[in-house]
Every structure is written in C-alpha cells, then in structure tokens.
Short mmCIF file of all heavy atoms in Angstrom, two decimals:
data_model
loop_
_atom_site.label_atom_id
_atom_site.label_comp_id
_atom_site.label_asym_id
_atom_site.label_seq_id
_atom_site.Cartn_x
_atom_site.Cartn_y
_atom_site.Cartn_z
N LEU A 1168 22.70 -0.69 3.44
CA LEU A 1168 21.80 0.23 2.76
C LEU A 1168 20.31 -0.21 2.93
O LEU A 1168 19.98 -1.43 2.81
CB LEU A 1168 22.11 0.45 1.29
CG LEU A 1168 23.51 0.93 1.01
CD1 LEU A 1168 23.62 0.97 -0.54
CD2 LEU A 1168 23.71 2.32 1.65
N ILE A 1169 19.45 0.77 3.15
CA ILE A 1169 18.04 0.58 3.12
C ILE A 1169 17.49 1.30 1.83
O ILE A 1169 17.84 2.46 1.65
CB ILE A 1169 17.31 1.12 4.37
CG1 ILE A 1169 17.88 0.53 5.66
CG2 ILE A 1169 15.74 1.04 4.23
CD1 ILE A 1169 17.59 -0.84 5.90
N VAL A 1170 16.81 0.54 1.03
CA VAL A 1170 16.26 1.22 -0.28
C VAL A 1170 14.80 1.26 -0.18
O VAL A 1170 14.12 0.36 0.11
CB VAL A 1170 16.70 0.32 -1.37
CG1 VAL A 1170 16.19 0.86 -2.76
CG2 VAL A 1170 18.19 0.10 -1.41
N THR A 1171 14.27 2.46 -0.56
CA THR A 1171 12.87 2.66 -0.48
C THR A 1171 12.50 3.78 -1.53
O THR A 1171 13.32 4.53 -2.06
CB THR A 1171 12.37 3.24 0.90
OG1 THR A 1171 10.97 3.38 0.83
CG2 THR A 1171 12.98 4.52 1.19
N ASP A 1172 11.25 3.64 -1.98
CA ASP A 1172 10.76 4.73 -2.90
C ASP A 1172 9.87 5.69 -2.15
O ASP A 1172 9.37 6.66 -2.74
CB ASP A 1172 9.83 4.10 -4.07
CG ASP A 1172 8.63 3.41 -3.57
OD1 ASP A 1172 8.34 3.41 -2.23
OD2 ASP A 1172 7.77 2.83 -4.32
N GLY A 1173 9.85 5.63 -0.77
CA GLY A 1173 9.17 6.53 -0.05
C GLY A 1173 7.66 6.31 0.09
O GLY A 1173 6.96 7.00 0.82
N LYS A 1174 7.18 5.27 -0.65
CA LYS A 1174 5.72 4.83 -0.58
C LYS A 1174 5.40 3.52 -0.19
O LYS A 1174 5.21 3.15 0.84
CB LYS A 1174 5.10 5.26 -1.88
CG LYS A 1174 5.15 6.77 -2.27
CD LYS A 1174 4.46 6.94 -3.64
CE LYS A 1174 5.41 7.82 -4.43
NZ LYS A 1174 5.15 7.80 -5.89
N ASP A 1175 5.57 2.63 -1.17
CA ASP A 1175 5.35 1.18 -1.02
C ASP A 1175 6.44 0.20 -1.11
O ASP A 1175 6.22 -0.94 -0.77
CB ASP A 1175 4.28 0.66 -1.95
CG ASP A 1175 3.84 1.60 -3.08
OD1 ASP A 1175 4.18 2.75 -3.01
OD2 ASP A 1175 3.03 1.18 -3.98
N PHE A 1176 7.66 0.70 -1.29
CA PHE A 1176 8.73 -0.22 -1.47
C PHE A 1176 9.71 -0.02 -0.39
O PHE A 1176 10.28 1.14 -0.26
CB PHE A 1176 9.43 -0.13 -2.88
CG PHE A 1176 10.64 -1.07 -3.10
CD1 PHE A 1176 10.35 -2.40 -3.20
CD2 PHE A 1176 11.90 -0.54 -2.99
CE1 PHE A 1176 11.47 -3.29 -3.41
CE2 PHE A 1176 12.99 -1.45 -3.20
CZ PHE A 1176 12.85 -2.78 -3.40
N PHE A 1177 10.20 -1.07 0.38
CA PHE A 1177 11.13 -0.91 1.48
C PHE A 1177 11.99 -2.20 1.34
O PHE A 1177 11.49 -3.34 1.33
CB PHE A 1177 10.48 -0.86 2.68
CG PHE A 1177 11.47 -0.73 3.90
CD1 PHE A 1177 11.91 0.50 4.37
CD2 PHE A 1177 12.06 -1.95 4.54
CE1 PHE A 1177 12.83 0.41 5.44
CE2 PHE A 1177 12.83 -1.90 5.62
CZ PHE A 1177 13.35 -0.71 5.99
N SER A 1178 13.36 -1.99 1.21
CA SER A 1178 14.15 -3.22 1.09
C SER A 1178 15.42 -3.03 1.95
O SER A 1178 16.17 -2.10 1.84
CB SER A 1178 14.53 -3.37 -0.38
OG SER A 1178 15.44 -4.41 -0.59
N GLU A 1179 15.76 -4.01 2.65
CA GLU A 1179 16.79 -4.06 3.68
C GLU A 1179 17.96 -4.92 2.93
O GLU A 1179 17.68 -6.01 2.59
CB GLU A 1179 16.57 -4.62 5.06
CG GLU A 1179 17.73 -4.53 5.97
CD GLU A 1179 17.35 -5.15 7.30
OE1 GLU A 1179 16.26 -5.48 7.52
OE2 GLU A 1179 18.21 -5.05 8.13
N GLU A 1180 19.08 -4.30 2.69
CA GLU A 1180 20.09 -4.96 1.87
C GLU A 1180 20.49 -6.38 2.33
O GLU A 1180 20.48 -7.29 1.51
CB GLU A 1180 21.29 -4.10 1.87
CG GLU A 1180 22.53 -4.58 1.02
CD GLU A 1180 23.65 -3.67 0.96
OE1 GLU A 1180 23.71 -2.68 1.80
OE2 GLU A 1180 24.54 -3.81 0.17
N LYS A 1181 20.65 -6.60 3.73
CA LYS A 1181 21.08 -7.99 4.18
C LYS A 1181 19.92 -8.91 4.07
O LYS A 1181 20.26 -10.06 4.06
CB LYS A 1181 21.73 -7.80 5.56
CG LYS A 1181 20.74 -7.60 6.60
CD LYS A 1181 21.39 -7.62 7.96
CE LYS A 1181 20.38 -7.29 9.04
NZ LYS A 1181 20.98 -7.19 10.41
N ARG A 1182 18.72 -8.55 4.02
CA ARG A 1182 17.56 -9.45 4.15
C ARG A 1182 16.95 -9.66 2.72
O ARG A 1182 16.39 -10.71 2.46
CB ARG A 1182 16.56 -9.00 5.09
CG ARG A 1182 17.08 -8.86 6.49
CD ARG A 1182 15.94 -8.63 7.52
NE ARG A 1182 16.42 -8.11 8.71
CZ ARG A 1182 16.94 -8.84 9.63
NH1 ARG A 1182 17.20 -10.14 9.52
NH2 ARG A 1182 17.35 -8.38 10.79
N ASP A 1183 16.94 -8.65 1.91
CA ASP A 1183 16.18 -8.71 0.73
C ASP A 1183 16.98 -8.74 -0.55
O ASP A 1183 16.45 -8.25 -1.64
CB ASP A 1183 15.26 -7.41 0.69
CG ASP A 1183 14.34 -7.36 1.89
OD1 ASP A 1183 13.81 -8.44 2.31
OD2 ASP A 1183 14.15 -6.31 2.43
N THR A 1184 18.20 -9.30 -0.53
CA THR A 1184 18.99 -9.43 -1.77
C THR A 1184 19.65 -10.91 -1.77
O THR A 1184 19.76 -11.43 -0.73
CB THR A 1184 20.18 -8.43 -1.85
OG1 THR A 1184 20.95 -8.55 -0.78
CG2 THR A 1184 19.50 -6.99 -1.86
N HIS A 1185 20.02 -11.24 -2.94
CA HIS A 1185 20.82 -12.44 -3.14
C HIS A 1185 22.35 -11.83 -3.06
O HIS A 1185 22.66 -10.83 -3.65
CB HIS A 1185 20.72 -13.07 -4.58
CG HIS A 1185 19.48 -13.86 -4.67
ND1 HIS A 1185 19.21 -14.95 -3.97
CD2 HIS A 1185 18.40 -13.53 -5.44
CE1 HIS A 1185 18.06 -15.40 -4.25
NE2 HIS A 1185 17.47 -14.67 -5.13
N HIS A 1186 23.31 -12.44 -2.33
CA HIS A 1186 24.56 -11.99 -2.09
C HIS A 1186 25.62 -12.82 -2.84
O HIS A 1186 25.65 -14.03 -2.69
CB HIS A 1186 24.94 -11.99 -0.64
CG HIS A 1186 23.76 -11.74 0.27
ND1 HIS A 1186 23.17 -10.38 0.20
CD2 HIS A 1186 23.08 -12.42 1.19
CE1 HIS A 1186 22.28 -10.45 1.20
NE2 HIS A 1186 22.17 -11.58 1.72
N PHE A 1187 26.53 -12.20 -3.45
CA PHE A 1187 27.69 -12.78 -4.09
C PHE A 1187 29.00 -12.15 -3.62
O PHE A 1187 29.14 -10.93 -3.88
CB PHE A 1187 27.59 -12.70 -5.66
CG PHE A 1187 26.26 -13.28 -6.20
CD1 PHE A 1187 25.17 -12.30 -6.38
CD2 PHE A 1187 26.03 -14.45 -6.43
CE1 PHE A 1187 23.97 -12.86 -6.92
CE2 PHE A 1187 24.86 -15.04 -6.89
CZ PHE A 1187 23.83 -14.16 -7.09
N THR A 1188 29.80 -12.86 -2.85
CA THR A 1188 30.93 -12.27 -2.27
C THR A 1188 32.15 -13.04 -2.75
O THR A 1188 32.17 -14.21 -2.79
CB THR A 1188 30.92 -12.42 -0.75
OG1 THR A 1188 29.70 -11.73 -0.20
CG2 THR A 1188 32.05 -11.83 0.00
N GLU A 1189 33.23 -12.31 -3.19
CA GLU A 1189 34.49 -12.91 -3.59
C GLU A 1189 35.64 -11.95 -3.17
O GLU A 1189 35.41 -10.78 -2.95
CB GLU A 1189 34.55 -13.15 -5.02
CG GLU A 1189 34.22 -11.88 -5.96
CD GLU A 1189 34.06 -12.18 -7.37
OE1 GLU A 1189 34.20 -13.37 -7.83
OE2 GLU A 1189 33.79 -11.30 -8.11
N THR A 1190 36.78 -12.63 -3.00
CA THR A 1190 38.03 -11.88 -2.64
C THR A 1190 38.54 -11.14 -3.90
O THR A 1190 38.22 -11.62 -5.03
CB THR A 1190 39.15 -12.63 -2.07
OG1 THR A 1190 39.49 -13.67 -3.00
CG2 THR A 1190 38.66 -13.29 -0.72
N MET A 1191 39.25 -10.10 -3.76
CA MET A 1191 39.82 -9.35 -4.96
C MET A 1191 41.11 -10.11 -5.49
O MET A 1191 41.50 -9.79 -6.59
CB MET A 1191 40.20 -7.93 -4.53
CG MET A 1191 39.00 -7.04 -4.29
SD MET A 1191 39.52 -5.41 -3.90
CE MET A 1191 38.03 -4.51 -4.34
N GLY A 1192 41.57 -11.12 -4.72
CA GLY A 1192 42.68 -11.88 -5.21
C GLY A 1192 43.23 -12.86 -4.10
O GLY A 1192 42.87 -12.64 -2.91
N ASP A 1193 43.91 -13.87 -4.51
CA ASP A 1193 44.43 -14.68 -3.37
C ASP A 1193 45.30 -14.05 -2.48
O ASP A 1193 46.25 -13.19 -2.76
CB ASP A 1193 45.35 -15.90 -4.16
CG ASP A 1193 44.43 -16.78 -4.98
OD1 ASP A 1193 43.20 -16.88 -4.71
OD2 ASP A 1193 44.91 -17.53 -5.83
N GLY A 1194 44.99 -14.25 -1.23
CA GLY A 1194 45.82 -13.66 -0.09
C GLY A 1194 45.59 -12.18 0.10
O GLY A 1194 46.32 -11.56 0.93
N ILE A 1195 44.67 -11.62 -0.50
CA ILE A 1195 44.32 -10.19 -0.36
C ILE A 1195 43.08 -10.13 0.42
O ILE A 1195 41.90 -10.56 0.06
CB ILE A 1195 44.06 -9.45 -1.68
CG1 ILE A 1195 45.36 -9.58 -2.56
CG2 ILE A 1195 43.75 -8.00 -1.39
CD1 ILE A 1195 45.24 -8.99 -4.06
N PRO A 1196 43.08 -9.41 1.67
CA PRO A 1196 41.98 -9.36 2.55
C PRO A 1196 41.01 -8.27 2.13
O PRO A 1196 40.64 -7.34 2.91
CB PRO A 1196 42.55 -9.07 3.95
CG PRO A 1196 43.74 -8.37 3.62
CD PRO A 1196 44.30 -8.84 2.31
N ALA A 1197 40.61 -8.21 0.88
CA ALA A 1197 39.68 -7.20 0.26
C ALA A 1197 38.58 -7.93 -0.51
O ALA A 1197 38.92 -9.07 -1.04
CB ALA A 1197 40.48 -6.24 -0.58
#
C-alpha cells in the first residue's frame, strides 16, 4: 500500500514502517 493525504504526506508501506511478522501457528504457512 501507498498512503498519502494528497498534499504533503506520502508513505510507502515497505520503506516507511516498522514490520512485525509472525506465523498464524506452528507448521501453518500463513
């Protein structure tokens, strides 16, 4: 996602955020 207010704020999800990734459960590829 690209997030903007249409004026002065532009944010690219992969570059402008802290990421926290976890699996939904052991052995589940989700």
